[in-house]
Amino acid sequence: MNDFTSKCSTSVDGQKNCIYCSNKCVKNGSAYGKQRYLCKSCKRCFINTYDYNGYDPTINNSIKEHLKEGCGIRSISRLLKISVTTVLRRIKKIAKGITKPIIAMGKEYELDELCTYVREKNNQLWVAYAIRKDTKEVIDFAVGRRTNNTLKQITDTLILSNAVKVYTDKLKQYGTLLPTSIHSTKRNGTNHIERKNLTLRTHLKRLSRRTICFSRSTSILSACLKIYFWA
Ligand SMILES: [Zn+2]
């Protein structure tokens, strides 16, 4: 028995409820010796116990939760007893379904960049991201080489959203990317985002260490960040 058995609720009279929409279901033949059920409302099929956890419809949620708790790809694979490939594929799929939050106009932001690498220390990357100063929510992020381009993706978003003030560290690139009227490097201006970095660091380190190849891992890194920030 695993964690995913008996997910479907059965009422007293043996009535099965749908695991997707919890409406009433009917028996619908069997597959590999297992009773299949068909939902009358959403027309989806399911069985009671999934032998391979990867097929369990609730697995995506578990992946999301584990990821947000700082589990690496391999630990998720071990804990949920699904293959690494499935974990990676699902992470991409989950991330695809997440949309960026809508940015409010005329707010104050903190902007910072984290240094990380994929696969080797030589493959240096920046994760640039911005949080709203009042709500602390992450409004945008970019993963890329350590160039102005990566930072520009975020500074442009901030300029477009009529940011009143953008607090950054003293990295000189920001000076050319942000108009001086809204740019500030004052001490303690980036306190909140620095604190967020600490939490993120742990997670990022795991993610970058466990990836298989360079091109793929960048996209997985982005996907994980997307889930971490907005799921
Ligand atoms: Zn249903």
Side-chain angles (χ1 to χ4, degrees), residues 23-39:
N23 280 312
K24 294 199 166 172
C25 298
V26 290
K27 288 185 176 173
N28 187 37
S30 61
Y32 306 103
K34 285 182 177 166
Q35 184 62 57
R36 288 173 80 215
Y37 295 92
L38 170 71
C39 174

Side-chain angles (χ1 to χ4, degrees), residues 82-100:
I82 51 179
S83 74
V84 169
T85 345
T86 307
V87 178
L88 292 170
R89 211 170 38 222
R90 292 304 176 90
I91 285 175
K92 281 189 182 171
K93 201 180 163 194
I94 297 167
K96 229 178 154 183
I98 300 170
T99 41
K100 260 189 216 179

Side-chain angles (χ1 to χ4, degrees), residues 51-73:
D51 277 340
Y52 180 53
N53 286 343
Y55 294 141
D56 191 291
T58 61
I59 199 80
N60 282 8
N61 256 333
S62 315
I63 293 176
K64 213 153 71 181
E65 279 162 17
H66 280 76
L67 200 69
K68 290 175 110 175
E69 284 301 322
C71 286
I73 308 295

Side-chain angles (χ1 to χ4, degrees), residues 132-148:
R132 231 175 96 170
K133 211 167 170 58
D134 50 350
T135 59
K136 322 264 187 305
E137 63 177 333
V138 176
I139 55 129
D140 202 5
F141 75 90
V143 179
R145 303 211 158 271
R146 297 177 64 182
T147 61
N148 276 3

Side-chain angles (χ1 to χ4, degrees), residues 105-159:
M105 302 298 265
K107 300 286 175 192
E108 295 196 339
Y109 298 99
E110 291 181 21
L111 168 60
D112 204 7
E113 75 294 326
L114 279 174
C115 217
T116 184
Y117 60 91
V118 274
R119 205 172 164 208
E120 293 170 52
K121 289 255 180 188
N122 303 342
N123 293 326
Q124 295 275 328
L125 285 182
W126 258 344
V127 175
Y129 71 113
I131 62 169
R132 231 175 96 170
K133 211 167 170 58
D134 50 350
T135 59
K136 322 264 187 305
E137 63 177 333
V138 176
I139 55 129
D140 202 5
F141 75 90
V143 179
R145 303 211 158 271
R146 297 177 64 182
T147 61
N148 276 3
N149 259 342
T150 308
L151 301 176
K152 198 172 181 296
Q153 289 174 48
I154 307 299
T155 51
D156 282 356
T157 313
L158 295 178
I159 292 166

Side-chain angles (χ1 to χ4, degrees), residues 18 21 39 42:
C18 175
C21 70
C39 174
C42 70

